[in-house]
Amino acid sequence: MDQNSRSRIENWLTYANELGLAPFYRDRAIKAISNPPAAIAIEPAAENPEPMPKPAQSRPPIPTAATPTAAPNKAAAFFPTPTGPSLFESVDRIEGDTLEIIRTDLGECTRCKLHKTRNKIVFGDGNAKADLVFVGEGPGHDEDIQGLPFVGRAGKLLTQMIEAMGLQRKDVYICNVVKCRPPENRMPERDEIAACSPFLIRQIDAIHPKVIVCLGATAAQMLLNTNRSISAFRGEWLEYRGTRLLATYHPAYLLRNPAAKSEVWKDLQKVMAS
Ligand code: SF4
């Protein structure tokens, strides 16, 4: 495929993401632009000229249902303008923050419309001091019922991947960009990501892992502040708030495209060697 065709598909994919079109279309586009030429380079958040936020001494205000106005603006800056302010730049590090405090702050959250259809909030699960954090997109049916991340078919595959790395689930931490299941497993919308991601950012800060592995485009695009297709930077070492980050395909994608498992395994081998 020539470069112009790749660019057209990438632009179309960005547009489809903004419209929240079905993952079916996204996956077809990802497949079409797999194995991109070396000339396609991501511009990760690490290259953003904006300085890293200074540590905060007090806890920043948490968005509430009564004060939702700031979130859409942050999200709008994220999606169509990858070089604009990122979501994590608006969340200061909180000294002494813990997963327990963050869960308490989250409460029985109604900050976005996903609360209307969820059964259980899926906060995250695993080792609070893990060196390795996996970040997915959002809960599915089984996760919504159990309140735990990655426990369905895709979760079983993730567990196999973790064990193939010589680890167990209790050794790592697993969480998602949004903590409530989107209806019909659609992609989270920008306002939902903006409302929920401050808690993910605090979770990662509190755990302070050595490596973050993003499972799928939604997590990678949110943490890296980019609209680029995951195929443009999958398997590359990048940086998020001073922590090494690598993006790979989501296990749900691997269930539909088993041939991509070998690529993911190469990515995980990089993590094991780090
Ligand atoms: Fe709250 Fe996140 Fe659930 Fe939205 S997805 S209701 S912000 S916990």
Side-chain angles (χ1 to χ4, degrees), residues 40 48-49 63 70 91 99 114 123-124 164 175 189 205 207 241 253 255 263:
I40 297 179
N48 192 316
V91 179
L99 295 179
L114 293 181
F123 180 70
C175 49
E189 295 175 353
D205 282 349
I207 297 167
R241 287 223 212 212
Y253 174 78
L255 292 175
E263 298 302 314

Side-chain angles (χ1 to χ4, degrees), residues 106 109-115 118 121 178-180 192 195-196:
L106 183 67
C109 184
T110 57
R111 292 172 180 83
C112 83
K113 57 186 176 294
L114 293 181
H115 84 275
R118 75 166 180 242
I121 291 176
V178 294
K179 303 187 187 308
C180 299
E192 296 157 0
C196 207

Side-chain angles (χ1 to χ4, degrees), residues 135-154:
V135 184
E137 181 177 289
H141 172 267
D142 295 313
E143 292 78 12
D144 179 56
I145 297 296
Q146 297 187 39
L148 293 169
F150 283 91
V151 290
R153 283 183 67 220

Side-chain angles (χ1 to χ4, degrees), residues 129-133 204 207-213 237-240 242-246 271 274:
K129 296 182 179 176
D131 287 339
L132 176 57
V133 168
I204 295 173
I207 297 167
H208 196 49
K210 291 178 179 166
V211 173
I212 300 166
V213 172
W237 279 117
L238 301 166
E239 187 182 293
Y240 163 82
T243 299
R244 302 183 86 197
L245 182 151
L246 183 143
V271 174
S274 66

Side-chain angles (χ1 to χ4, degrees), residues 47-215:
E47 295 177 16
N48 192 316
E50 293 293 323
M52 290 290 184
K54 293 192 175 103
Q57 295 306 314
S58 60
R59 194 174 305 168
I62 302 299
T64 66
T67 58
T69 50
N73 291 337
K74 292 171 193 167
F78 163 56
F79 277 95
T81 314
T83 55
S86 63
L87 288 170
F88 70 77
E89 286 173 343
S90 65
V91 179
D92 289 336
R93 295 178 192 274
I94 303 171
E95 200 160 329
D97 211 9
T98 66
L99 295 179
E100 290 75 20
I101 294 172
I102 299 165
R103 183 65 188 87
T104 299
D105 287 345
L106 183 67
E108 284 305 304
C109 184
T110 57
R111 292 172 180 83
C112 83
K113 57 186 176 294
L114 293 181
H115 84 275
K116 297 175 184 171
T117 50
R118 75 166 180 242
N119 281 300
K120 288 186 178 176
I121 291 176
V122 181
F123 180 70
D125 187 43
N127 188 338
K129 296 182 179 176
D131 287 339
L132 176 57
V133 168
F134 289 93
V135 184
E137 181 177 289
H141 172 267
D142 295 313
E143 292 78 12
D144 179 56
I145 297 296
Q146 297 187 39
L148 293 169
F150 283 91
V151 290
R153 283 183 67 220
K156 287 188 173 66
L157 180 55
L158 176 61
T159 301
Q160 290 173 2
M161 291 158 54
I162 292 169
E163 291 174 350
M165 298 172 73
L167 300 170
Q168 296 184 341
R169 278 181 69 117
K170 65 180 176 58
D171 298 322
V172 304
Y173 193 82
I174 305 171
C175 49
N176 286 301
V177 171
V178 294
K179 303 187 187 308
C180 299
R181 182 193 184 198
E184 307 302 324
N185 290 347
R186 65 160 169 76
M187 290 175 64
E189 295 175 353
R190 64 180 70 185
D191 60 314
E192 296 157 0
I193 293 174
C196 207
S197 59
F199 296 96
L200 168 66
I201 292 164
R202 286 178 58 191
Q203 284 171 284
I204 295 173
D205 282 349
I207 297 167
H208 196 49
K210 291 178 179 166
V211 173
I212 300 166
V213 172
C214 291
L215 300 170

